[in-house]
Amino acid sequence: MPLRVVVDADNGVAPWRQVYDQIVRAITTGALAHGARLPPIRQLARDLGLASGTIARVYRELEAGGQVATGRAKGTVVTGPAEQPNRAELLREAAAEFAARAHELDAGPAEAVDAVRTALAAISSERGS
C-alpha cells in the first residue's frame, strides 16, 4: 500500500509533525509493513509542497525512534514495529482525538456519531467495500 500523507496548513499542528504522526500511525497499524520503502526526501517534500529540510527532520525523528533505517543503497525503510499493533488501543486513541475535536466544535454525541458514520461510509465507497 503506498504512503498516503496529507498536510493541513489550517489545523495548527506543524507540518513536520503532521507528516511524522501520519507515518508513525501507518507503521503502527501495519499499513506500512516492515521493510517497506519510504519515498525519497525530495520526492515526498515535492509531493506535499514542503521544504526538503522539513521532510529530512521527519525522517531523522523516525530513525531516532527506531521506526525506520536509512541506507545509501536501500533508501529509507520501515524497521518497526515488529509486533502486531493493539487495534483496540489504536481505536481508543483515535476516538479520543476525534472526541476532543468534536467537543471543540460544540458537537453533541449524536452529531459526532453521525459525522463518524458519514466518514466511514465515504471511505467504504472510495475503496469499493
Side-chain angles (χ1 to χ4, degrees):
M1 172 183 254
L3 176 64
R4 290 180 55 184
V5 175
V6 177
V7 176
D8 179 0
D10 296 328
N11 84 353
V13 177
W16 80 267
R17 187 62 196 220
Q18 292 180 51
V19 175
Y20 174 84
D21 288 347
Q22 290 175 60
I23 293 174
V24 167
R25 188 174 303 119
I27 293 169
T28 304
T29 62
L32 277 177
H34 184 83
R37 292 179 71 176
L38 295 183
I41 290 170
R42 288 188 185 126
Q43 178 189 335
L44 186 56
R46 187 174 45 251
D47 291 349
L48 297 175
L50 298 172
S52 292
T54 300
I55 302 304
R57 178 180 182 185
V58 170
Y59 283 22
R60 279 192 311 272
E61 296 286 337
L62 290 167
E63 195 160 12
Q67 287 105 344
V68 301
T70 302
R72 291 191 188 273
K74 292 185 178 183
T76 303
V77 296
V78 175
T79 57
E83 70 280 351
Q84 279 290 75
N86 182 334
R87 186 175 174 273
E89 181 61 28
L90 292 171
L91 189 57
R92 278 191 296 276
E93 289 173 9
E97 289 175 25
F98 175 75
R101 199 75 181 270
H103 180 72
E104 290 170 2
L105 296 169
D106 271 339
E111 187 179 7
V113 169
D114 285 344
V116 170
R117 283 191 179 116
T118 300
L120 286 171
I123 291 169
S124 292
S125 67
E126 274 179 18
R127 294 182 181 169
S129 45

